[in-house]
Amino acid sequence: MSASRARWAGSGRRSEHLTQASAAPFCVRTPPSASASSRSATRRERLVEIRDNLVARITEAEQQGWLGEIEGLQVSLTGAEAKIRQIDDSSPVPGTVHLGLPTTRKS
């Protein structure tokens, strides 16, 4: 049992954050590992979902006047957007690759 789950285990309280955090396959604040581009695409799709959810939650928090919640969500949103940019910057750009001119070997 993780520390965050153990903290809530005794109270019987089920937090929305814990449910969403346990469903996420990675942390928004950690750098992406050197992985295959297909995994990067899957991670990017998941990050876009997380970002869209955070935007919706920020809007709801603003409507409800939950100022402390807004600040925390904006920190997470900034992290998700930075991670999306990292993935976009590290993904190969389709196009022409210059391989140079072939040469002959002198024996």
Side-chain angles (χ1 to χ4, degrees), residues 25-80:
F26 57 93
C27 178
V28 172
R29 295 183 179 131
T30 59
S33 62
S35 62
S37 62
S38 63
R39 287 197 328 182
S40 292
T42 302
R43 286 181 175 175
R44 188 184 191 291
E45 290 171 11
R46 179 70 179 126
L47 280 167
V48 168
E49 289 176 19
I50 291 170
R51 181 198 59 204
D52 293 346
N53 179 269
L54 287 167
V55 170
R57 291 174 60 193
I58 288 170
T59 301
E60 178 185 10
E62 287 171 342
Q63 292 170 350
Q64 299 295 328
W66 301 332
L67 301 179
E69 185 76 9
I70 293 169
E71 184 178 345
L73 291 170
Q74 286 174 336
V75 169
S76 296
L77 178 61
T78 301

